[in-house]
Amino acid sequence: MKNIRNFCIIAHIDHGKSTLADRLLEFTKTVEGKDLQAQVLDSMDLERERGITIKSHAIEMEYVYEGEKYTLNLIDTPGHVDFSYEVSRSIAACEGALLVVDAAQGIQAQTISNVYMAIEHDLEIIPILNKIDLESAMPDEVEDQIVQLLGTPRDQIIRTSGKTGIGIEEILRAIIERVPAPQGDPDAPLQALIFDSVFNSFRGIIAYYKIVNGTLRKGDLVKFINTGKEYEADEVGILRLNMVPRSEVHCGDVGYIISGIKTSKEVKVGDTITHVKRPAAKSIEGFEEVKPMVFAGVYPIVSEDFENLRASLEKLQLNDASLTFQPESSVALGFGFRCGFLGLLHMEIIQERLEREFNMDVITTVPNVSYRIYDKKGNMKEVHNPSGLPDPTLIDRIEEPFIRASVITNTSYIGPIMTLCLGKRGVLIKQEYISGDRVEIIYDLPLGEIVIDFYDKLKSISKGYASFDYHMHDYRPSKLVKLDILLNGEPVDALSTLTHFDNAQSFGRRMCEKLKELIPRQQFDIAIQAAIGAKIIARETVKAVRKDVTAKCYGGDISRKRKLLEKQKEGKKRMKQVGNVEVPQKAFLAVLKLD
C-alpha cells in the first residue's frame, strides 16, 4: 500500500487539465502508439466536440521512481460549475489533488471553490502553473496569487506546459513525495466506496470504487450496504485505458466490479460495498447527496415513447448521478418527467445525450427552480412546477431560493457586472481586491434569475474574463406571480412560469411577441395572451389566412359583397370552435432566449 498514490486534477474550465493528463499518461507509457490522441480520457463525442470534460475519468499508471515501482491512480475532473458534483465525487476517492492554474489567466472562481472542497477533505494540494510556454503568460504574478490563496512556499509551485511536456517529471516526483499513501487495513472487513458507475448493454451495470479497507477477490459474495442487495463478483479488476481483470483488488486501489446487476436503482453512487460473510459495521461517511438547482419537464415527442424515455433516463442516471427525475403529466404535452439538473449546460448536455445515445427526441419545457409555498395555516409545500401552484387566495407567502455568488473579474468590468447583478435583483455582500487589478465581488442573487441567461451575459459583458461560481444560500420571501400564456383563451401549461411581479409585465409582452413570430397561421385568428390570474397583461393576434371571397363580384351592390363576407365570417367562427393550435417545439426553446 505504501506505493499507491490516488490523486485528481482540479482546475477552472480550459486551464489544461485533460492535456496535462495526456502528458502524464504518455510519460508513464500507460497509453502508447495509436491510442495516443488529444484528450485521451474524454471518451464521449460530445466532450471532444465542445472541448469540455463532462465525466470524471479514472485511470491507473505505473511509474518507477528511485528503483521502486509506484501505482498512480489519476482522476481527471470537469471544470464547469454545472459539473461540480463530479468533482466532489472524485475528491472523495483521493488523497491528493493537482491544482492546475493557467499562467495567462490566473486564479478563477471555480479554482477557488475546488480548492476549498479539496481542503475540506484534507487532500494534499500540489499547485501547478500550466501553459508557461504562452507568450501572454505571467508566471510571477500568478505565482503571487497562488501563494496568497494557499500559502504554499514558492519553490513548491511547479511550472509546466501540458502542450510541450515541460515539468511533467517534476509533477510525478511531487505526487510520489508529497501525496500521502492511502490509509487502510488490508485485513479489516471490506469497505469500498462507489464513486461512479456505467451501463454496459452486454455486462449490465459496472461500478467503480476505491477500496478503503480489506481486499476484494473474484468470486466473492458481496453486499451493497445502502440498498442491502447481495451479488457475486463475476469480475473485478483495475482501470487502465480499458478495464483490466485481476484475481484480487487490494486495499487503497481504485477498481471496477461486474456482478450482473440489471436494474439501475440497485447501484447508488456513494454506497459502500462489503462482504456478506464478514460485513463492515457501517458504511463510509462524508458523501453528500446531490441537490438539483434547475427543474424542467422532459416529454417524448411521440407519447408512445414514454417507457423508452424512462429506461433511457435510468441508464443516463447511472452514468451521471446528478440527474434526478420523477414522472409528471401536462395537458399540452401528455406524459413525461420532471427532471432536476445542476444548471443549464447540464440540461443541454442531457438533452443531447438522450438524442445521441438513445435516439430519443424530446421536448423540454421552460426551466425553473423550486419554490416554497406557505398557506394561510402555515403549512409548507415545495413546488417545482408552476402548474402545481395552489389557488392564489390560499397562499400566505412564497419563498424563493437565493444563492451566494462569487464573481472574479478585472477591475475594468466592475461597473457593467454590478449593473447586471442589480438588474437580476442581486444584493451586494462584499467586494475585495485579490491582487493588483483582480477583484472578487460577492452577491446574493435569486436562483430563478440566474437560471436562464446570467452566465452568457456575464461572459459577454466581461469579454470572457469574469468567472462565476455559486452555492445555495437560503430561501427568502418574494413577490412572485404565476404568468400564464393563453392561446384562444386556453392556457398552455408548458409555457407558464413563476416570475417576479416587477418583471411580469415586460416578460409577458416579450413572450407574446415571440410566440406571434413562431406560431404558424391557421384558417382562423389566434389570440395569444399573457395573464396573471384573471388579468390579461399583454395580447398579440396571429391573423387568419383567408381567401379573397369577393374576387368574383365585379361591380354591383355592396350588399352582395357583404353577404359573402358574412358567410366567410360564420365559417371562420365555426372553424375556431373545432380547430386547435399546435405549438411548435421552437416556441418552447425560444422562451429561454427571450433577450
Side-chain angles (χ1 to χ4, degrees):
M1 264 183 77
K2 69 179 196 339
N3 287 9
I4 297 177
R5 300 285 182 272
N6 298 321
F7 67 98
C8 57
I9 304 184
I10 53 177
H12 190 76
I13 317 166
D14 276 350
H15 280 205
K17 296 176 292 300
S18 300
T19 314
L20 195 68
D22 289 353
R23 290 296 83 76
L24 290 169
L25 295 175
E26 191 181 2
F27 197 86
T28 55
K29 299 198 169 43
T30 309
V31 178
E32 292 184 284
K34 67 177 191 310
D35 292 331
L36 202 62
Q37 50 172 345
Q39 282 105 20
V40 177
L41 295 180
D42 289 352
S43 52
M44 247 185 279
D45 302 343
L46 255 179
E47 294 181 311
R48 295 182 166 283
E49 279 167 31
R50 290 176 174 240
I52 54 175
T53 304
I54 295 168
K55 286 284 302 157
S56 300
H57 293 275
I59 190 164
E60 185 178 291
M61 309 183 282
E62 281 181 353
Y63 184 61
V64 178
Y65 175 66
E66 292 182 354
E68 279 193 66
K69 194 157 122 188
Y70 286 87
T71 301
L72 311 177
N73 288 313
L74 148 77
I75 302 181
D76 178 28
T77 63
H80 196 282
V81 61
D82 277 11
F83 303 111
S84 52
Y85 182 63
E86 288 281 331
V87 183
S88 74
R89 299 198 335 231
S90 311
I91 284 177
C94 295
E95 283 82 36
L98 302 182
L99 174 72
V100 181
V101 181
D102 185 330
Q105 292 186 355
I107 284 179
Q108 307 276 309
Q110 197 57 33
T111 318
I112 293 179
S113 86
N114 285 343
V115 164
Y116 289 147
M117 215 189 291
I119 291 172
E120 272 170 36
H121 284 80
D122 293 332
L123 298 197
E124 175 63 40
I125 297 173
I126 301 175
I128 290 172
L129 200 57
N130 195 18
K131 305 193 188 181
I132 56 160
D133 56 321
L134 291 182
E135 283 179 15
S136 57
M138 320 170 287
D140 297 335
E141 289 94 322
V142 179
E143 264 186 14
D144 289 341
Q145 294 173 19
I146 296 175
V147 170
Q148 209 167 348
L149 176 69
L150 289 174
T152 44
R154 261 179 191 280
D155 56 349
Q156 288 196 3
I157 299 172
I158 303 170
R159 292 189 178 195
T160 65
S161 158
K163 200 168 173 187
T164 57
I166 306 166
I168 298 297
E169 209 168 335
E170 247 182 283
I171 293 179
L172 289 163
R173 192 162 54 232
I175 290 167
I176 289 167
E177 288 172 0
R178 283 152 61 179
V179 174
Q183 301 292 317
D185 180 359
D187 303 322
L190 174 71
Q191 270 186 316
L193 174 75
I194 299 178
F195 66 86
D196 206 351
S197 58
V198 290
F199 177 78
N200 181 316
S201 44
F202 303 108
R203 315 284 312 259
I205 290 156
I206 304 169
Y208 296 164
Y209 54 81
K210 175 200 173 185
I211 297 189
V212 179
N213 291 314
T215 307
L216 179 60
R217 294 175 185 81
K218 186 180 173 173
D220 280 354
L221 204 60
V222 294
K223 176 174 134 184
F224 289 22
I225 294 183
N226 285 354
T227 56
K229 296 275 201 270
E230 297 180 5
Y231 309 98
E232 191 176 320
D234 299 337
E235 181 179 312
V236 297
I238 57 160
L239 300 160
R240 284 293 173 88
L241 196 54
N242 299 315
M243 295 183 284
V244 182
R246 291 278 163 93
S247 56
E248 54 181 50
V249 183
H250 301 285
C251 187
D253 271 332
V254 173
Y256 71 90
I257 178 171
I258 299 177
S259 49
I261 306 169
K262 291 287 181 284
T263 50
S264 57
K265 291 189 185 67
E266 294 173 22
V267 178
K268 281 200 169 79
V269 171
D271 201 346
T272 305
I273 306 174
T274 188
H275 281 130
V276 173
K277 286 181 183 154
R278 221 179 123 212
K282 61 182 192 337
S283 56
I284 302 164
E285 289 168 8
F287 199 81
E288 16 183 298
E289 275 291 309
V290 58
K291 296 181 199 68
M293 296 280 188
V294 177
F295 296 89
V298 173
Y299 293 86
I301 286 182
V302 185
S303 51
E304 284 84 66
D305 283 348
F306 176 71
E307 280 306 323
N308 296 353
L309 180 60
R310 183 197 295 271
S312 308
L313 283 169
E314 281 179 356
K315 286 172 189 169
L316 252 185
Q317 196 176 30
L318 280 173
N319 201 282
D320 184 347
S322 47
L323 169 70
T324 58
F325 62 91
Q326 62 202 51
E328 73 163 4
S329 64
S330 139
V331 183
L333 300 169
F335 290 103
F337 294 93
R338 171 118 314 231
C339 299
F341 307 99
L342 296 180
L344 271 199
L345 176 69
H346 187 207
M347 175 172 133
E348 210 176 299
I349 295 289
I350 292 287
Q351 210 174 333
E352 204 148 315
R353 285 183 69 183
L354 279 172
E355 212 165 285
R356 288 185 183 203
E357 294 171 28
F358 304 100
N359 286 329
M360 292 298 310
D361 283 335
V362 292
I363 291 180
T364 314
T365 62
V366 184
N368 56 352
V369 297
S370 61
Y371 297 95
R372 289 182 178 171
I373 314 283
Y374 288 86
D375 63 15
K376 297 273 174 28
K377 294 175 186 161
N379 303 324
M380 193 270 285
K381 173 185 172 189
E382 274 215 353
V383 171
H384 302 312
N385 189 349
S387 61
L389 208 64
D391 191 285
T393 52
L394 305 174
I395 298 174
D396 178 39
R397 66 180 191 280
I398 303 179
E399 291 189 351
E400 66 173 333
F402 267 69
I403 58 169
R404 176 67 51 97
S406 140
V407 177
I408 294 181
T409 177
N410 203 307
T411 43
S412 47
Y413 303 117
I414 294 180
I417 288 175
M418 286 193 159
T419 313
L420 172 69
C421 293
L422 289 171
K424 298 281 186 192
R425 319 201 316 268
V427 181
L428 179 65
I429 303 299
K430 66 172 181 181
Q431 157 184 352
E432 55 185 345
Y433 287 84
I434 304 175
S435 65
D437 58 351
R438 289 166 64 74
V439 63
E440 179 178 26
I441 310 171
I442 293 180
Y443 263 93
D444 277 359
L445 288 152
L447 182 60
E449 295 277 345
I450 296 253
V451 162
I452 294 183
D453 56 0
F454 180 80
Y455 195 63
D456 300 343
K457 282 187 172 170
L458 181 71
K459 282 286 176 208
S460 56
I461 282 176
S462 64
K463 302 189 173 64
Y465 275 110
S467 61
F468 171 66
D469 182 54
Y470 63 86
H471 57 266
M472 273 302 293
H473 192 56
D474 55 5
Y475 278 81
R476 301 180 189 179
S478 245
K479 195 175 179 188
L480 296 165
V481 289
K482 181 183 172 194
L483 182 73
D484 285 314
I485 297 294
L486 313 173
L487 293 182
N488 281 343
E490 290 292 314
V492 181
D493 57 352
L495 288 173
S496 60
T497 47
L498 271 176
T499 178
H500 195 266
F501 182 74
D502 299 345
N503 306 340
Q505 197 109 17
S506 66
F507 186 65
R509 195 172 301 126
R510 291 208 312 269
M511 215 145 152
C512 289
E513 284 163 8
K514 194 79 184 170
L515 286 171
K516 183 183 177 181
E517 293 167 24
L518 293 164
I519 290 178
R521 288 171 71 183
Q522 307 277 354
Q523 296 280 348
F524 50 89
D525 282 3
I526 303 170
I528 305 169
Q529 296 167 310
I532 297 173
K535 185 183 173 196
I536 305 290
I537 54 169
R539 167 173 174 142
E540 292 286 336
T541 309
V542 178
K543 283 310 217 183
V545 182
R546 31 190 305 202
K547 185 176 162 191
D548 188 1
V549 286
T550 57
K552 60 175 183 274
C553 292
Y554 48 93
D557 191 7
I558 182 70
S559 60
R560 290 175 60 199
K561 285 188 178 177
R562 193 165 291 143
K563 186 177 157 192
L564 288 168
L565 286 170
E566 287 300 323
K567 200 170 159 189
Q568 184 187 33
K569 199 166 158 188
E570 284 302 312
K572 294 279 180 213
K573 205 183 262 177
R574 278 202 304 279
M575 215 178 253
K576 188 171 182 171
Q577 284 164 0
V578 294
N580 61 347
V581 185
E582 287 290 312
V583 184
Q585 161 74 355
K586 276 209 263 337
F588 293 110
L589 297 175
V591 176
L592 311 186
K593 303 189 170 65
L594 266 180
D595 294 329

